[in-house]
Structures are given as C-alpha cells and as structure tokens.
Amino acid sequence: MITLTDFLIVSAALFCIGLYMTVSKRNAIQILIGIELILNAAILNLVAFGKYDKVNNSGQIFALFAIVLAAATTAVALAIILNVYRRYKTIDPNDITKLRD
Amino acid sequence: MDTFLHAIQSLNYTVAAVVLPLLAALVNFCLPVKSKAAGWISTIAILLSCVLSARVFATIWNNPQVHAQRIWFTIGQTQVYAGILLNNLSVLMLLLVSVIALPVHIYSTAYMKHDERYSRYFTYLSFFCFSMLALVVVDSLILFYAFWELVGFSSYLLIGFWFTKDKAVKANKKAFIMNRVGDIGLLSAIIILFAQFHTFDIDTIFGQNGLAHLMGIQDGKWTLIPNHLPDSVGSVWGRGTITALPALWQYVACAGIFLAVAAKSAQFPLHTWLPDAMEGPTSVSALIHAATMVAAGVFLLGRVYPMFIETELTILACIGCFTAFMAATIALTQNDLKRILAYSTISQLGFMILAMGVGAYASSLFHLATHAFFKCLLFLVAGIVIHQMQHIKDDNNLDIDPQDISHMGGLRKKLPLTFITAVIAALALIGLPLTSGYLSKDGILIQAFEWSDGRNAWFKIIPVMALITSWLTAFYVARLIFKVFFGEFRLLKDNPDIKPHLGDGGWPYTLPLILLAVCCLFPLFSFNPLAYEHAWLFEGLKTSARHAGEGVYHSLIPISVNVISLLLLFAAYRIYTRESRLPFPQKGFFYRLSYNQWYIDNLYKRAIVNPVLRLGSVCFWIDRNIIDGFLHLLTRISGSIAKLAAWTDEYIVDGFLHLLAAIVQSIGNFARKFQSGKVQYYLFSMLVIVLLLFILKILI
C-alpha cells in the first residue's frame, strides 16, 4: 500500500533534484526545468495532503490550478530566456552578471 | 627808552648772528658735495655773524645785561622759559667764537680745497658755529644742555671727517663716548638744580642777584643762608621757590658739573680724547679743539660759578693744576706736531680751571680769550707746515709721517710769514711780556699765590706747580719752534735728492695768520703791557671790587717766570738747533712716563675699555648661549611637541579613522562579493543560510 510517506519521499526527492538543477545547471532552460520539478514536488504534496481535506478534491483542484499557473509562468520564463538570448547571445546565467554591483 | 631800543636791537642782532651759520649749514647741505660755493657761503655767514656780534658786544659790554625770554612749554604747573641772556660773559664769548671762526673759515677754503667732500666740511663747520654761538647766549639750562650736545655732536662729525681713516673713526668714537660721560654729569646737575630751584633760568639761579648766591650748606642741608640775603632780594623772590635738599645733592650737582667741564675742556680724568681728536682736519683742530669748543667747559664754569662752595673750588684748583702740570710734561717728549699742541691746550685749559678754583674768575676768562687767539694761530701754522710736508711726501713718495717734527727743521727761511706768526703765538703761549698771554697767565699765577697765602702751607703746592708748569710750557714751546723752524731741514739731510718747493701759500693762508697774530699782541687787550689789572677784558669780568694789592708777587712772579723762561728758551735753542747732544736720557723712567702720556690711555684701556669689552663679550656669550640657547631649547621643545602632536594626529587620530574606514571598506567588500550578479549563486547562498538557520534552530 502506498502511504503518505512514500508520496512525501518522492516529493522531497523531486524537490531536491529540482533545487540542485536550479543551483547547478549552466543552461537557463535546464534551470527552468529544475524550477518545474520543484513546482511539481509542491503539487505532488498538495495532492498527497488532499487526503486530509474536508472539502472534496480541493487538493486536486488546487493542483490543477497550480499546473495552469506553472504553464503560464513557464511561457513567460521562456519568453524572457528568448529575450535574454537575443540580447546576450547566451543563456548561461553565469555569463549574465549585469545585476552585479 | 633808548636803552630799551638798544636792548631790542641787540637781541635781534644776536639771533641773526646765531642763526646765520645755521642757514649757511642748511644751504650747504643742499649743495652738491664738491661745490666750491659752500666755502664762501659759510665764510660770508660767519663774517656777518662776526659783524653783528661786534655790534652786540659794543652795546652790551659793561652795560646792564639784557635778558629776554618767553614761555617755551608748560608741563603741569611748571612753565619752562626759553630766551637769550646777554651779559659781559656771553657777549665776550659770542664775539670770541665768531672772531676766531672767521679766520679759520677763510683758511679752510684753501686748506680743504682738494677735499672730496668740500661742502660737507663747511656744512659741519657752520653747524658747529651755530651750536657754539647758541650755547653762549641761551638762558635756559635745557637749551644750554641741548646746544652742549650739539657742540659735542658736530665735533664728533668733524673729528671723523676723514672717516676712511681707521684712526679718525676711533678718535671720534673716543671723543664722543668721553663727552657722553660729561653730558651725564651735566644732565644730572641740571635735574638737581631744577629740584632745588624749580626753574631752568640761568639768570634766576646764577645771575647777579641769583638764588645761588644766597644758598649755602647749613646743618647738612643745602638751603638759604639768612645772612647772605641782600636787601634787594624781592625781585628774585617771586620767580622761584626754594626747597632745602640734603647737602649731598649740592655735592652731586657740583660733581656733575665738574664732570661735564672735565669732559668738554679735557681735564684730568677725561682728557685723553683731545690728543686723539687731532685726527680731524687741522683747521678743525684750530677752531674746535683749541679755541672754542674746549672753552665751553670753562664757559660753563663761568656761568654756574656762584654755586660752588669753598672746598669744591679748592678741588677744582687741584685738578686744574694737576692737569696743567701733567699735560705740560707729556708735551715735552711728543714728536707729533699736533699732539704737542693738543697737550699744550690741555695744559692751558688746566690753567683756566685752576684760575676758576682760586677765585680768579676774570683771569680765567681772560686767559680763555687770549689762549683762543694764540692757540688757534699755532694750529693754523701747524696746518701749513703739515700741508707742506704732505706735499713733499706725495711728490717724492716718501714713507714719513707729515706731522712728525723730527723730520722738520730750518723752515723759517722757506715759510717766513708762518715763522714770524708762529713765534708771536709761541711767545704769547709762554707768556712773555708784550703779548696777550703775558697779561692773562701772570694774572692767574699772581692770584694763585695770593690765594694760597691765607692758607695752610700745603696749599702753596698749587701755585708752585703752576709756576713750574709755565716754565715747562716755555721749554716745550721752544722745542717745537726750534725743531720745526731752526737748524737744518732734517728730511733733506736724510734724502738729499729731493727738491722741496715750499711757500706760505696764498692769501687765504696768510691773512688769517696775520689777523690772529695781531690779536696775540698786548694792545688789543690792554694799553699797559705789564699789568693785567688794567686790561679792559679783565675789568669787565671782575666780579667783586676786591682789588689786588700791590703785593710782593706782582713783581716777583712775572720776573721769575720770564727770566727762567728766557733761560729755558736759550737752553732749548742750544739743545735743538745745535743738536750737540740729546739733553735727556731717552729711556729713563720719566722719559717713558712722559712719552707714553703717563700711561693714562693704557690704564683706561686696561681698567675700563678691556673690562667693558670683556663684559660685552660675556654679554654676547650670555646672549648667544644662554638666552638664545634657552630660546633654542624652547624652539626644540615646542618643535618636538609639535612633532609628537603631528605623529599622534597622523597615526592615532587619523589611524583610528583609517581603521574605521578600512573596517567599513572590508565589510563592504565582503558584502559586495555576494553581489556577483550570478542568480544561481544568490539562490545557493539563500539555501545555505536557510539550512544554517535550521541547523542552528535544531541545535539550540
């Protein structure tokens, strides 16, 4: 039987992988993928904890809502990356240090 | 009314006579240095002064005195008057100074002809005449003091006229410094007199009914002596009030006046400047250092005579006598022509002071007048002789001192007029009959003997010394004349190849000589060539009616003086013209004493000059090392304090601030490192911190 703990372990693993990708990848797309992984970890948690919800299926709904939002933000993020690429001819975040003091 | 007008006229003439030389001096001062007009401007000024003085003299002499004054300034309640006092004494001096100055001016126009600073010379000479003429007529002690100083100052200028000569500079410094000693005496005397009499007016204090006549020493106080009070005292009374000072102050005042007299008239302790003053031009020596300025001291004595008391007069006589004797002995062995004359001047001034001391007031001033003529003449003669010797020296490039009489001789044939006038002056100086010197000098000797008669036997020393001095005078004058004018020309003997061209010179040289020579003879002063009492000058100055009796001295003294003088003249003639042998050992104690001028200069050098110099160098050392050292120490201390402060400022205060800045900067740099602009790095940092917080939370 699949328990809550298993979900949470998967979720934590996803989260850690996502976080690791976000911190270490040299490609903005891959970082974006990492962020999606973190988001999915959070959504998985939402779904998993939805078991305790008094209202029916609110966890799933909220997960759907978050997925939509994630899709929207991904689109925005891809657009930003596209613009960054146009401007800097690279999408390696280590090379884009305009924010430095 | 008539006398009043005469008085006004005399005063105007006097002022004109005094101011004319000053105007000449001012005009000459503005002229170019080499301008030949200067001589004539000065000469004309002094000629006019002379004429005016003669007018004044004719009006005032033996008439009541003329005294005019006005308020000069007021300090508090004290009104100080300035004015002119003309009495027999001052008009005599006025005439004497201008009459002596006139031939000297004429002589100077020729004598100084080739000098670089011809007009300066006449500026100084006229300025001197102005000071001296003013000195004799002013009525206030303050003005007297001022002109006394000016006389000293112009003498200083003229002694150092050839200031490129080191000796002249030394001589004028010496004269000035020694005169300052006397000036201090005069100044303190004036201050004491003012404290006593509350007035500076010479007439009120020393005049005929002056306060000084009424004063005396009583019970240790210098105060009024009641039985001195004459009946007509009222007029004097209103003008000054008298306080009784302790007697000490009277002595101090007299000592001060004596000091002033000694400095100006070259008396014993302060006489050494006069021989050195001969470094000036000879015409200056003739006017200032023989005839007029040195007489200022005697004149001062004549002005303040009433204030001296018996004992002080005796001291005066002793000092005069000693000076006369000492100077005469020195004059015996000197070889410098002008130096001999200078010591002779000191000796004759000693006679005048002696005469003042023994109460022969009139004789003293009489001798002053006669001495002025013949000593001036002797100096002018000396000037001509020195001038000629200088010419020989320059023409032949000889290495001789033109003033040394041992080179001269036989000049009577080359300079006949000079010779004749010199002989007349010499005879007057010796005091032989038919000359003016006889009248005045024998007067002094006779009165000195009469004075000592009524006293202790010891007092006889003074007139006897004076008598010996007059014999010594005869000898040294004879030595001078014989060595210069008789025998053969010694310079020619030593250097046979030179051809001297000598001559008396033009009229500017001869005219003054003739004028002065005439004044050296008796008719100018008395129609009776043998009795001094009948000289008009003597009668005019006599203070009391005390008529010298027909004492035994009256025939004894002149005879002894003249007979022995003539013997000495003969002896000198034998010794110096035949030159058979030297009369005296040249290395005995007395010779050396006399040749070295009694070692007084050496004594002063050792006792005063060297200690003063040493004191000066000690002061210099103290100044250099202690005062400057202290200051340097202070400088160094404050310098090091400043350095310390600078170090503190730089390393501690600034260091603290720099440290702060460095800390802030390093913190900033440390913080800045995080702002690398790498997004992932930010994220990573955030993760680390959050994790750390969690770990800390778990641990605590």
Side-chain angles (χ1 to χ4, degrees):
Chain A
M1 150 114 197
I2 300 169
T3 59
L4 180 65
T5 315
D6 297 326
F7 284 107
L8 289 182
I9 288 170
V10 173
S11 165
L14 268 179
F15 178 80
C16 287
I17 291 163
L19 197 61
Y20 172 74
M21 279 183 73
T22 316
V23 169
S24 62
K25 286 301 167 189
R26 296 279 170 188
N27 192 320
I29 306 288
Q30 285 174 320
I31 291 170
L32 197 59
I33 293 168
I35 291 169
E36 287 304 313
L37 285 177
I38 293 169
L39 214 68
N40 284 327
I43 292 165
L44 187 58
N45 273 7
L46 280 174
V47 176
F49 284 106
K51 183 171 128 182
Y52 302 105
D53 204 353
K54 298 284 187 283
V55 182
N56 281 341
N57 298 325
S58 62
Q60 278 88 343
I61 292 163
F62 201 79
L64 277 176
F65 188 65
I67 287 165
V68 174
L69 265 176
T73 53
T74 305
V76 172
L78 278 172
I80 288 172
I81 288 168
L82 202 61
N83 274 319
V84 165
Y85 179 76
R86 276 194 191 145
R87 192 176 176 90
Y88 297 101
K89 299 294 171 204
T90 174
I91 48 170
D92 184 351
N94 279 344
D95 292 341
I96 303 161
T97 53
K98 270 266 167 169
L99 278 177
R100 163 182 86 189
D101 72 313
Chain B
M1 194 61 199
D2 203 32
T3 47
F4 179 72
L5 281 179
H6 273 301
I8 296 290
Q9 202 184 26
S10 315
L11 287 170
N12 289 340
Y13 284 167
T14 308
V15 171
V18 169
V19 172
L20 272 169
L22 177 66
L23 285 178
L26 289 176
V27 170
N28 284 345
F29 189 70
C30 303
L31 285 178
V33 173
K34 278 187 171 176
S35 163
K36 295 290 167 208
W40 295 112
I41 291 171
S42 288
T43 309
I44 288 164
I46 202 73
L47 178 68
L48 291 175
S49 278
C50 194
V51 171
L52 292 170
S53 305
R55 282 291 301 270
V56 173
F57 184 80
T59 321
I60 304 289
W61 184 256
N62 282 343
N63 284 325
Q65 67 174 35
V66 173
H67 184 196
Q69 60 181 15
R70 57 194 305 171
I71 290 182
W72 183 14
F73 58 83
T74 308
I75 300 176
Q77 299 295 310
T78 311
Q79 291 178 326
V80 178
Y81 290 87
I84 288 176
L85 173 62
L86 296 175
N87 58 12
N88 275 0
L89 177 58
S90 43
V91 290
L92 171 69
M93 288 297 289
L94 191 69
L95 185 64
L96 184 71
V97 171
S98 50
V99 164
I100 296 281
L102 178 62
V104 172
H105 273 75
I106 296 173
Y107 181 90
S108 297
T109 54
Y111 190 77
M112 303 298 287
K113 199 162 53 190
H114 301 296
D115 199 90
E116 293 274 291
R117 293 156 63 240
Y118 184 78
S119 83
R120 282 288 170 278
Y121 172 82
F122 280 98
T123 310
Y124 297 161
L125 204 61
S126 285
F127 186 66
F128 167 75
C129 289
F130 157 69
S131 322
M132 190 68 202
L133 290 171
L135 176 78
V136 299
V137 296
V138 293
D139 76 332
S140 155
L141 284 170
I142 296 183
L143 279 175
F144 187 90
Y145 181 72
F147 288 113
W148 180 269
E149 291 282 7
L150 283 184
V151 164
F153 172 66
S154 38
S155 150
Y156 166 81
L157 287 178
L158 285 165
I159 295 171
F161 183 71
W162 288 320
F163 56 79
T164 46
K165 280 203 301 188
D166 186 47
K167 273 170 90 181
V169 173
K170 278 193 180 141
N172 74 349
K173 263 192 294 189
K174 186 172 179 181
F176 198 65
I177 292 171
M178 293 196 103
N179 270 303
R180 298 304 304 169
V181 176
D183 296 340
I184 289 170
L186 181 60
L187 186 61
S188 32
I190 289 173
I191 292 168
I192 293 170
L193 285 173
F194 182 75
Q196 174 73 317
F197 298 113
H198 299 288
T199 175
F200 289 113
D201 188 22
I202 290 175
D203 191 37
T204 312
I205 305 177
F206 304 112
Q208 222 146 35
N209 289 319
L211 298 170
H213 287 288
L214 316 173
M215 307 294 285
I217 306 285
Q218 205 172 39
D219 305 330
K221 292 262 186 210
W222 182 24
T223 181
L224 280 177
I225 306 290
N227 52 11
H228 285 197
L229 287 179
D231 301 328
S232 61
V233 83
S235 61
V236 174
W237 227 225
R239 283 188 276 168
T241 45
I242 293 180
T243 46
L245 290 179
L248 174 69
W249 293 112
Q250 205 269 351
Y251 305 142
V252 174
C254 286
I257 288 190
F258 168 70
L259 212 57
V261 171
K264 264 296 181 278
S265 288
Q267 291 305 294
F268 160 58
L270 299 174
H271 67 276
T272 57
W273 66 270
L274 187 62
D276 288 6
M278 297 302 137
E279 288 302 329
T282 308
S283 42
V284 167
S285 306
L287 178 62
I288 298 184
H289 305 122
T292 53
M293 183 188 99
V294 289
V298 181
F299 171 74
L300 170 65
L301 264 189
R303 277 282 202 216
V304 305
Y305 197 62
M307 80 176 273
F308 284 90
I309 58 175
E310 194 65 39
T311 325
E312 287 157 357
L313 287 177
T314 310
I315 295 170
L316 220 57
C318 293
I319 288 177
C321 178
F322 176 71
T323 311
F325 179 74
M326 178 197 68
T329 58
I330 293 171
L332 287 176
T333 57
Q334 300 300 309
N335 279 329
D336 186 321
L337 181 53
K338 285 177 79 179
R339 246 184 145 70
I340 297 174
L341 293 177
Y343 274 108
S344 147
T345 305
I346 296 177
S347 180
Q348 299 305 309
L349 288 165
F351 263 107
M352 295 172 211
I353 303 289
L354 163 70
M356 283 287 179
V358 299
Y361 177 81
S363 283
S364 174
L365 294 168
F366 186 22
H367 195 54
L368 169 65
T370 56
H371 171 256
F373 288 107
F374 57 70
K375 189 50 66 62
C376 184
L377 177 52
L378 276 175
F379 266 103
L380 295 188
V381 165
I384 291 179
V385 171
I386 293 166
H387 218 61
Q388 301 299 337
M389 295 301 283
Q390 183 75 42
H391 276 307
I392 295 176
K393 181 188 166 184
D394 292 344
D395 289 348
N396 298 288
N397 288 324
L398 299 174
D399 183 28
I400 52 163
D401 179 4
Q403 307 194 3
D404 193 338
I405 57 169
S406 54
H407 298 309
M408 304 170 190
L411 293 175
R412 73 175 188 281
K413 287 169 198 146
K414 318 257 186 197
L415 312 167
L417 185 83
T418 312
F419 166 66
I420 292 165
T421 50
V423 166
I424 292 172
L427 294 181
L429 178 54
I430 298 169
L432 290 182
L434 305 182
T435 61
S436 59
Y438 170 81
L439 295 169
S440 55
K441 195 188 258 180
D442 283 6
I444 292 175
L445 287 174
I446 291 167
Q447 287 176 75
F449 271 102
E450 282 172 353
W451 169 80
S452 68
D453 258 358
R455 284 156 212 265
N456 197 320
W458 287 106
F459 285 97
K460 272 275 183 287
I461 292 176
I462 289 176
V464 170
M465 288 264 280
L467 195 61
I468 294 172
T469 307
S470 62
W471 293 333
L472 290 177
T473 311
F475 190 81
Y476 71 68
V477 173
R479 172 172 175 265
L480 176 72
I481 294 291
F482 290 136
K483 273 198 136 173
V484 173
F485 290 104
F486 286 81
E488 40 187 321
F489 200 2
R490 274 173 289 266
L491 192 65
L492 217 55
K493 206 158 72 175
D494 299 338
N495 307 278
D497 48 331
I498 56 174
K499 299 269 179 290
H501 304 285
L502 301 176
D504 282 325
W507 68 267
Y509 285 116
T510 51
L511 180 69
L513 294 189
I514 294 167
L515 271 178
L516 288 169
V518 170
C519 295
C520 291
L521 297 173
F522 73 92
L524 188 70
F525 298 99
S526 166
F527 291 116
N528 181 348
L530 294 177
Y532 71 90
E533 291 93 339
H534 301 302
W536 55 267
L537 213 159
F538 182 81
E539 287 181 340
L541 290 166
K542 239 178 350 194
T543 42
S544 64
R546 181 175 68 92
H547 202 75
E550 297 293 316
V552 62
Y553 294 122
H554 264 255
S555 41
L556 194 64
I557 301 291
I559 290 171
S560 68
V561 167
N562 288 308
V563 169
I564 294 185
S565 294
L566 284 173
L567 286 176
L568 283 167
L569 283 181
F570 182 66
Y573 177 74
R574 291 293 301 255
I575 293 164
Y576 291 110
T577 50
R578 302 291 165 80
E579 290 190 44
S580 45
R581 64 199 154 77
L582 282 171
F584 310 111
Q586 297 275 311
K587 47 193 174 306
F589 168 71
F590 287 109
Y591 177 80
R592 272 184 286 129
L593 183 70
S594 159
Y595 187 74
N596 291 305
Q597 301 151 33
W598 286 45
Y599 295 103
I600 290 172
D601 265 334
N602 301 35
L603 177 75
Y604 283 172
K605 195 159 177 57
R606 270 196 211 153
I608 297 170
V609 177
N610 285 349
V612 167
L613 287 179
R614 231 170 290 142
L615 182 70
S617 50
V618 167
C619 286
F620 181 71
W621 184 87
I622 289 176
D623 193 38
R624 246 309 126 84
N625 290 314
I626 298 192
I627 298 181
D628 280 12
F630 179 67
L631 289 177
H632 286 158
L633 188 70
L634 277 185
T635 321
R636 228 169 288 151
I637 288 173
S638 51
S640 43
I641 288 175
K643 258 179 219 159
L644 189 70
W647 186 87
T648 316
D649 197 37
E650 194 175 338
Y651 290 98
I652 298 191
V653 179
D654 283 10
F656 178 67
L657 293 175
H658 287 157
L659 185 68
L660 273 186
I663 289 171
V664 168
Q665 192 186 24
S666 52
I667 291 173
N669 281 341
F670 179 71
R672 214 173 59 159
K673 258 189 252 165
F674 301 108
Q675 304 290 327
S676 60
K678 297 176 182 172
V679 184
Q680 286 171 302
Y681 186 72
Y682 296 162
L683 188 62
F684 180 69
S685 318
M686 193 187 81
L687 266 177
V688 170
I689 290 166
V690 168
L691 278 176
L692 276 175
L693 282 175
F694 269 102
I695 291 164
L696 279 174
K697 197 150 187 201
I698 290 162
L699 286 178
I700 296 166

